[in-house]
């Protein structure tokens, strides 16, 4: 690479300035003599070498990032993946690299959730805090403090006006999401609370705990109105069905139990996993036909298929279940470690999972195969959430970061 005379002069002056600021006086005298620098150093040369040096490193990093994006795009083109124009929202899937990497938590991130209305992500962590971020700008918004131990789960009501959080401090807190004040603290569990969710109407909460129980709470009063007993070990997750009539819970006892909220009766016990069942999620209406047509679901005449569940386990598998028949319709295998979170894609054609093999995987329900693998984090991926209408996926990890992924 050949420098012009002007560039050579600038470089010489920059080197001379660097030698001067570092106190290399003898080297400076010798250099000025050999380089033919007669004038005094000007202010414009101050710190020039350091600035150029750091900008080169920064540009190298950017070039590598862009080369990675280009390689990914070329791979998609040669593999014949649908382009942005031909892909409709029902087929959006997350693509690397991440749009934002959000840092601020001091311990592993336990759960991430996208606000139902605003462009806000909420993340909870073992550092006992809840943090709010803007997923469109990547900006940190605020921290909610109140729990005294790891915060394990967060949930919004349908309008996003209330946020519920649960913790290893054995409490559930309800926060007003307009003022960010804690308006209620619920006591009643005798051990670590691992899961919290609102019923669809928003007037009750359902929690699951290491005390082996599931509890239902009235939001307005904070009273525990029902307790569901039946699991023999730690209950990891409890989710309310979209119609609000059933609860699905999963546990260290390797089972999934389906409960009727009205009667507190266990309607079904689903057994097929051979390790702790970490997560469970109900199939939305958009996924019912895809699941029914790819499994041996019981089709009742004139009725809509379902309800269906998806579960993820430490046995590294994901299973899809027909709740009425109590059958496992099919299993998805491919993760190399514990499956920590799983959900249905809003479009209903895919299942998305996060695991301790540090990846997020997208599964095609129809063909029962892994469609896409994202090397998402430096450590175990603990949680993920998919925006219901915008092309964003958010993930949380033991590496203490939250990542925002754009879909196309």
């Amino acid at each position: 690479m050949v420098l012009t005379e002007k560039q050579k002069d600038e470089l010489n002056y920059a080197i001379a300035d660097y030698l001067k600021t570092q106190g290399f006086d003898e080297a400076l005298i010798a250099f000025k003599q050999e380089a033919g620098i007669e004038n005094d150093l000007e202010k414009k040369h101050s710190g020039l070498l350091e600035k150029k040096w750091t900008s080169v490193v920064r540009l190298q990093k950017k070039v590598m990032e862009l080369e990675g994006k280009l390689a990914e795009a070329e791979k998609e083109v040669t593999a014949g993946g649908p382009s942005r124009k031909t892909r409709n929202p029902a087929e959006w899937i997350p693509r690397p690299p991440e749009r934002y990497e959000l840092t601020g938590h001091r311990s592993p991130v336990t759960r991430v959730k996208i606000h139902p209305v605003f462009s806000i992500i909420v993340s909870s962590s073992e550092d006992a805090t809840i943090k709010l971020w803007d997923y469109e700008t990547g900006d940190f918004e605020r921290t909610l403090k109140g729990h005294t131990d790891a915060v394990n789960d967060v949930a919004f009501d349908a309008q996003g006006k209330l946020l519920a959080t649960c913790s290893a401090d054995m409490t559930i807190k309800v926060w007003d999401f307009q003022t960010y004040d804690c308006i209620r603290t619920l006591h009643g569990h005798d051990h670590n609370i691992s899961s919290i969710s609102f019923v669809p109407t928003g007037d009750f909460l359902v929690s699951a705990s290491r005390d082996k129980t599931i509890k239902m709470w009235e939001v307005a009063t904070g009273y525990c109105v029902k307790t569901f007993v039946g699991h023999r070990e730690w209950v990891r997750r409890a989710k309310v069905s979209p119609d609000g009539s059933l609860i699905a819970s999963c546990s260290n006892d390797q089972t999934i139990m389906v409960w009727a909220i009205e009667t507190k009766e266990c309607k079904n016990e689903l057994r097929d996993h051979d390790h702790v069942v970490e997560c469970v999620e109900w199939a939305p209406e958009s996924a019912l036909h895809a699941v029914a047509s790819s499994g041996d679901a019981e089709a009742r005449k004139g009725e809509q298929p379902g309800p269906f569940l998806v579960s993820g386990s430490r046995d590294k598998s994901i299973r899809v279940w027909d709740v009425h028949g109590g059958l496992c319709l099919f299993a998805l295998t491919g993760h190399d470690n514990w499956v920590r979170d799983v959900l249905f894609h809003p479009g209903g054609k895919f299942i998305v999972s996060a695991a301790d093999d540090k990846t997020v995987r997208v599964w095609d329900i129809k063909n029962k195969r892994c469609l896409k693998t994202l090397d998402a984090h430096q450590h175990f991926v603990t949680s993920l959430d998919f925006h219901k209408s915008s092309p964003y996926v958010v993930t949380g990890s033991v590496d203490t970061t939250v990542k925002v992924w754009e879909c196309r």
Side-chain angles (χ1 to χ4, degrees), residues 224-256:
C224 175
V225 291
K226 284 179 177 154
T227 301
F228 301 79
V229 181
H231 279 295
R232 293 170 295 286
E233 295 279 347
W234 186 340
V235 189
R236 289 281 173 174
R237 202 82 64 97
K239 293 281 182 171
V240 185
S241 63
D243 67 0
S245 66
L246 301 170
I247 293 171
S249 59
C250 60
S251 163
N252 280 30
D253 64 16
Q254 305 178 15
T255 69
I256 298 155

Side-chain angles (χ1 to χ4, degrees), residues 266-331:
C266 177
K267 305 280 280 181
N268 234 325
E269 194 169 329
L270 311 176
R271 299 166 168 273
D272 242 342
H273 283 297
D274 17 312
H275 207 324
V276 170
V277 187
E278 284 277 348
C279 49
V280 68
E281 190 66 63
W282 291 92
E285 203 173 313
S286 60
L288 298 182
H289 286 289
V291 174
S293 56
S294 63
D296 306 317
E298 280 187 11
R300 290 173 301 287
K301 279 184 184 170
E303 282 186 44
Q304 202 176 13
F308 302 118
L309 285 169
V310 63
S311 61
S313 164
R314 292 186 186 178
D315 65 14
K316 307 177 195 173
S317 76
I318 295 157
R319 291 183 180 273
V320 176
W321 309 81
D322 177 5
V323 171
H324 278 304
L327 297 171
C328 174
L329 300 176
F330 57 90

Side-chain angles (χ1 to χ4, degrees), residues 1 21 34 42 68 79 115 176 203 208 322 349 407:
M1 193 182 285
T21 54
E34 288 197 16
E42 294 176 30
H115 192 279
D176 181 326
D203 40 8
D322 177 5
K349 294 180 179 179
C407 303

Side-chain angles (χ1 to χ4, degrees), residues 86 96 160 174 231 334 363:
T86 59
V174 181
H231 279 295
W363 307 83

Side-chain angles (χ1 to χ4, degrees), residues 135-210:
Y135 62 72
E136 286 182 340
T137 62
D139 293 338
F140 166 70
E141 296 284 333
R142 64 170 65 230
T143 300
L144 304 181
K145 292 179 179 177
H147 286 293
T148 56
D149 206 337
V151 185
N152 295 319
D153 199 4
V154 294
F156 285 108
D157 68 346
Q159 292 78 38
K161 289 180 179 173
L162 295 176
L163 172 73
T165 60
C166 67
S167 167
D169 66 12
M170 302 192 292
T171 70
I172 296 159
K173 287 185 182 287
V174 181
W175 310 76
D176 181 326
F177 210 69
Q178 283 145 323
T179 62
Y180 304 109
D181 295 328
C182 175
I183 52 174
R184 207 154 271 116
T185 301
L186 317 181
H187 299 267
H189 278 295
D190 301 327
H191 213 317
N192 192 341
I193 307 170
S194 41
S195 162
I196 191 75
S197 58
F198 279 91
V199 302
T201 53
D203 40 8
F204 293 97
L205 281 164
V206 171
S207 61
S209 167
R210 197 173 174 176

